[in-house]
Amino acid sequence: MACQTLKGAALLQNGVLSKGTAYTEQERAELGLRGLLPPVPSNIRLQAEAMIEQLRSFDTPYQKALFLDGLRAANETLFFRLVMDYVEEILPLVYTPTVGEVCQKYSHLYRFPRGLFLSIEDKGHLDELIANAPQQEVDMIVVTDGQRILGLGDLGVNGMGIPVGKLGLYTACAGVDPRRTLPVTLDVGTDTERYLSDPLYLGHKHKRVSGKEYDDFIEEFFQAVHKRWPSCVVQFEDFGNNHAFDLLERYRSRYCCYNDDIQGTASIVVAGFFSAMKAKNSRLSDEKILFLGAGEAATGVANLIAAAMTETGISREDALSRLYLFDSKGLVTSGRETLARHKAPFAKDLEPCTDFEECIRRIRPTAIVGLSAQSGAFTESVVKAMAEINERPIIFALSNPTSKAECTAEQAYTWSDGRALFSCGSPFSPVTYKGKTFVPRQGNNSYVFPGIGLGAILGRCKELGEDVFLSAAHTCADMVTPEDLAQGSLYPSLTRVRDISLAVAVNIIKLALRNGTAQIEQPADIVQYVKDRMYVPDYE
Ligand SMILES: NC(=O)C1=CN([C@@H]2O[C@H](COP(=O)(O)OP(=O)(O)OC[C@H]3O[C@@H](n4cnc5c(N)ncnc54)[C@H](O)[C@@H]3O)[C@@H](O)[C@H]2O)C=CC1
Ligand SMILES: CC(=O)C(=O)O
Ligand SMILES: [Mg+2]
C-alpha cells in the first residue's frame, strides 16, 4: 500500500492515491502540488465526463481497453468511478469479450506492474515474493495458472488479464476495496507453441509442469498467502480441468476459497433457469437439460441444477436422470471405457451418440446449455430442432469470449421464430425480430461472484458450500422484474449490479451466521453492515 504521506510529484505519480486535477487549492498548497497541475481544480464528476469523451473517441474495443488500463494506472479512483457510472458500456471492455484479446496480446502490450507473478522456479521462496506485494492487507485473491483462459486455451502468464479483470469487477460491481485485492498468476509454463517461440513472451519458456511438483507449488502458495493474510478469500479462475476439480476438493474446507468457473457459473446459470421457469410458467424439476460441454462449467452447473431440483421435492437420482452431458466424444454414456469423476454422475445408460442434433431428437430436451467453447455449435438445425420440440426452448450459449459462443442472440431468436429463452456468456446487443425487441442478458458469473466474494469477506466465512451458490442464484433471480422477462431478459439490468451484489452478500452472511461458518458477531443490521463497508470511488 502506498504511503499516505506522499507529496508533490510522487503523489501525482501514485495511481492509487492520486486525484489528478481534482486537488483543491488548499490541498495543492499543503501537498506541494502548486504548479504541477493545470491551474483550475476539477472534480471527479467533471473528470469522468472528460474520460468518457476520451474513451468514446477510440475506434475499437481493444484501443478502449488500453486507454482504460492507462487511466487505471494514473488514477484508480477515477477508473472505478467511470466503470461504475458507465457499467454497461465499460464492462465489455475490462471483461469479456475484450479481456480475451488483451490476454492474448498481454506480453506485447505490458506496461504497468499489476498483481503478483509466482513462478514454479520460485518454489521454496514464495514467502519472500508474497512479502513483496505492496498491499498491507489482502481480503481477496483471484489466482490463475493461465491454462484455460475463457475459451481461448492455454495462455500461460498472458492470462494475468483475467485475475486483474475479475478483481476489477469485485470492486466496481460489489465495492470490494481495490487496495485490498491481489491478482495472482502462477507461471508453471505453457504448452502453447506460439508463446514458447515468441521472443516477447514474458513467462518462462517451458512446457507446463504438473504432478507432484505442481501440487507442492500450489500447497506452498496457499500456505504462504495465509501466513501473511490469514483470512484472505481465494478464487480459482481459469485453471485447466485436469487440476481445477482436484484443487477445489483439496482446499475447499481448509481455506475460504472457491472456483468461479465451477461454482460461480453454476450459480448464475441456475438463476437463469429460475427466471426461465417464471417466463414459461413451469417447474425446474420438469426440465430436461442437455449440456454441450462436460467440463468445469457444465458439470458445475449440472450439479447445482440437481440441487435446485431437489429443493422442489424430487430426489437427487431423479434430478440427475434429467441432466445429460455431451462432450468432445459425444453423449456421455455409462458404457464409456473411461469416465472422468466429474462426469460420472450424469452418464446415461444409452447408446453412444456423436451427433448433437441427433441427441436432441432422441432425448427431446427442454433446454440446451453451451459451455464447450465451440463457436457456432448451435447451428440453425439444432435451434430449429429445439423449437420443434418446445414451445419455449431454453437456449443458453454461454461460452466466452463472443468468438466462442455456440450461437448469437440474433440466431437464437430468429431460428426459433422468437420463442427462445436465451442467454449468453458475453454480451449481445438487443435483437428486433418481427417487431419485437429482445434484450438478451449475460448468463455470466460476473453477476454473482462479486457479491459472493463480498459476503465471504465481510462474513469472514470459513468455507463456501453449495448452499452459498444456490442462495446467490435465488437472490439474483428474485431481482428479475416482469418487465425484464417481458423483453426476454433472464437477468436483471447490469446497471443494478451493485444492488444485486449487496443482496447476494447480505444473504450469504445470513446463511453463514445460521450455519455457523461466519466468524463475525451478528451485526444489528446486516444490510447496513455491508453497505458501510462497500468501497465507493470518491476522493477522500
Ligand atoms: N458464462 C460464464 O459465466 C462462463 C462461461 N465459461 C465458458 O465455458 C467454456 C468452457 O469452460 P470450462 O467448462 O471451464 O472448460 P473445460 O475445458 O473444463 O470444458 C470444456 C468442455 O467442452 C467439451 N468440448 C470440447 N470440444 C467439444 C465439441 N466439439 N463438442 C462438444 N463438447 C466439446 C470438452 O470435452 C469439455 O468437456 C469456455 O468457453 C468458458 O469461457 C466458463 C465459465 C463461466
Ligand atoms: C466467465 C468465465 O469465468 C469464463 O468464461 O471463464
Ligand atoms: Mg473463468
Side-chain angles (χ1 to χ4, degrees):
M1 166 63 63
C3 171
Q4 296 290 339
T5 56
L6 283 183
K7 288 189 171 184
L11 175 59
L12 292 182
Q13 280 157 13
N14 184 303
V16 174
L17 296 180
S18 179
K19 304 183 190 182
T21 54
Y23 287 102
T24 62
E25 299 279 13
Q26 192 188 338
E27 286 171 329
R28 291 172 187 219
E30 285 169 5
L31 296 166
L33 299 173
R34 293 187 64 217
L36 300 184
L37 292 162
V40 178
S42 184
N43 59 49
I44 200 161
R45 191 179 48 77
L46 291 174
Q47 287 177 318
E49 219 173 277
M51 288 304 105
I52 198 72
E53 190 183 299
Q54 277 294 302
L55 184 74
R56 288 172 181 163
S57 73
F58 292 100
D59 292 330
T60 66
Y62 177 65
Q63 290 167 338
K64 292 180 185 190
L66 293 194
F67 169 76
L68 288 167
D69 192 38
L71 172 62
R72 183 167 181 185
N75 184 336
E76 190 167 78
T77 316
L78 180 56
F79 167 82
F80 281 115
R81 179 84 263 158
L82 207 67
V83 182
M84 265 181 68
D85 289 355
Y86 300 91
V87 67
E88 285 182 303
E89 183 173 346
I90 295 186
L91 242 52
L93 304 173
V94 296
Y95 188 54
T96 187
T98 316
V99 72
E101 190 179 351
V102 167
C103 284
Q104 286 173 308
K105 298 175 180 164
Y106 181 85
S107 289
H108 290 237
L109 62 80
Y110 180 87
R111 290 175 298 166
F112 308 111
R114 196 168 285 144
L116 202 58
F117 293 89
L118 305 175
S119 295
I120 193 99
E121 283 73 5
D122 301 317
K123 202 155 151 287
H125 302 277
L126 295 192
D127 272 341
E128 294 157 43
L129 273 70
I130 286 171
N132 287 341
Q135 293 86 338
Q136 292 301 320
E137 297 296 335
V138 170
D139 296 327
M140 187 82 214
I141 282 178
V142 175
V143 59
T144 188
D145 72 356
Q147 194 175 356
R148 194 287 280 143
I149 296 295
L150 306 176
L152 301 170
D154 178 354
L155 301 194
V157 296
N158 290 344
M160 181 53 120
I162 284 289
V164 169
K166 291 249 168 183
L167 282 167
L169 266 60
Y170 272 101
T171 297
C173 303
V176 172
D177 188 338
R179 294 156 298 193
R180 296 169 67 104
T181 65
L182 181 64
V184 177
T185 291
L186 305 175
D187 183 11
V188 293
T190 177
D191 293 337
T192 299
E193 289 301 333
R194 73 177 181 283
Y195 294 146
L196 291 173
S197 60
D198 177 358
L200 297 189
Y201 177 65
L202 294 172
H204 284 292
K205 288 185 183 164
H206 55 72
K207 295 271 184 189
R208 281 190 173 271
V209 170
S210 61
K212 183 170 173 353
E213 199 182 348
Y214 178 93
D215 290 345
D216 290 349
F217 181 58
I218 303 280
E219 176 64 26
E220 185 184 341
F221 162 73
F222 265 92
Q223 290 196 21
V225 159
H226 290 92
K227 193 164 142 198
R228 181 157 183 206
W229 303 296
S231 47
C232 175
V233 180
V234 176
Q235 179 196 311
F236 293 104
E237 188 68 43
D238 290 5
F239 281 71
N241 65 30
N242 52 333
H243 292 128
F245 293 104
D246 292 343
L247 293 179
L248 181 60
E249 223 30 64
R250 197 171 312 148
Y251 292 105
R252 69 193 312 166
S253 50
R254 269 178 69 189
Y255 299 104
C256 184
C257 66
Y258 73 102
N259 181 307
D260 189 37
D261 298 297
I262 301 173
Q263 298 166 288
T265 312
S267 183
I268 197 58
V269 179
V270 169
F273 270 96
F274 288 151
S275 297
M277 295 307 99
K278 280 186 211 155
K280 63 179 217 174
N281 195 21
S282 71
R283 292 182 335 154
L284 188 61
S285 51
D286 292 334
E287 293 299 303
K288 207 192 272 184
I289 304 166
L290 174 59
F291 291 85
L292 186 75
E296 295 167 58
T299 59
V301 174
N303 274 307
L304 200 66
I305 289 189
M309 282 180 169
T310 59
E311 279 188 334
T312 67
I314 69 169
S315 68
R316 181 166 168 81
E317 202 185 355
D318 282 350
L320 293 178
S321 75
R322 310 190 72 80
L323 304 169
Y324 298 75
L325 304 177
F326 186 105
D327 66 11
S328 56
K329 295 189 190 123
L331 187 66
V332 174
T333 55
S334 36
R336 281 195 185 179
E337 268 181 26
T338 54
L339 204 51
R341 209 152 32 110
H342 56 277
K343 301 180 191 178
F346 307 98
K348 297 287 175 294
D349 221 355
L350 292 173
E351 284 302 303
C353 177
T354 53
D355 183 291
F356 190 63
E357 190 185 328
E358 173 61 25
C359 280
I360 291 178
R361 298 202 183 279
R362 281 198 211 162
I363 294 166
R364 300 181 66 80
T366 55
I368 50 174
V369 178
L371 286 161
S372 62
Q374 298 304 304
S375 160
F378 292 172
T379 59
E380 182 168 356
S381 51
V382 160
V383 174
K384 286 194 163 156
M386 285 298 290
E388 265 171 39
I389 299 168
N390 300 284
E391 179 53 35
R392 303 297 314 269
I394 295 175
I395 296 177
F396 289 177
L398 302 178
S399 290
N400 297 314
T402 317
S403 60
K404 300 289 176 185
E406 285 79 6
C407 68
T408 66
E410 187 173 9
Q411 290 168 338
Y413 294 123
T414 310
W415 293 338
S416 66
D417 200 24
R419 288 184 281 121
L421 290 161
F422 176 78
S423 75
C424 39
S426 297
F428 282 110
S429 301
V431 174
T432 301
Y433 176 75
K434 291 192 177 168
K436 175 167 178 180
T437 298
F438 297 90
V439 181
R441 291 208 176 120
Q442 282 170 264
N444 191 300
N445 46 36
S446 56
Y447 270 107
V448 287
F449 72 70
I452 291 171
L454 183 70
I457 293 165
L458 296 181
R460 298 201 53 233
C461 295
K462 278 191 232 155
E463 58 184 286
L464 300 171
E466 188 175 68
D467 48 359
V468 163
F469 299 93
L470 210 44
S471 155
H474 280 293
T475 307
C476 183
D478 288 348
M479 295 185 76
V480 175
T481 63
E483 293 73 33
D484 289 327
L485 292 179
Q487 61 180 18
S489 303
L490 301 179
Y491 297 100
S493 164
L494 263 182
T495 54
R496 298 177 64 206
V497 72
R498 294 276 285 207
D499 293 337
I500 299 167
S501 298
L502 171 65
V504 165
V506 164
N507 288 337
I508 286 174
I509 294 171
K510 284 183 184 164
L511 185 67
L513 285 164
R514 273 201 308 277
N515 68 19
T517 54
Q519 301 176 97
I520 54 166
E521 293 298 316
Q522 168 95 41
D525 178 342
I526 301 183
V527 175
Q528 203 55 46
Y529 169 79
V530 176
K531 263 190 187 166
D532 289 347
R533 287 160 182 77
M534 285 170 79
Y535 163 89
V536 179
D538 282 324
Y539 298 130
E540 285 168 12

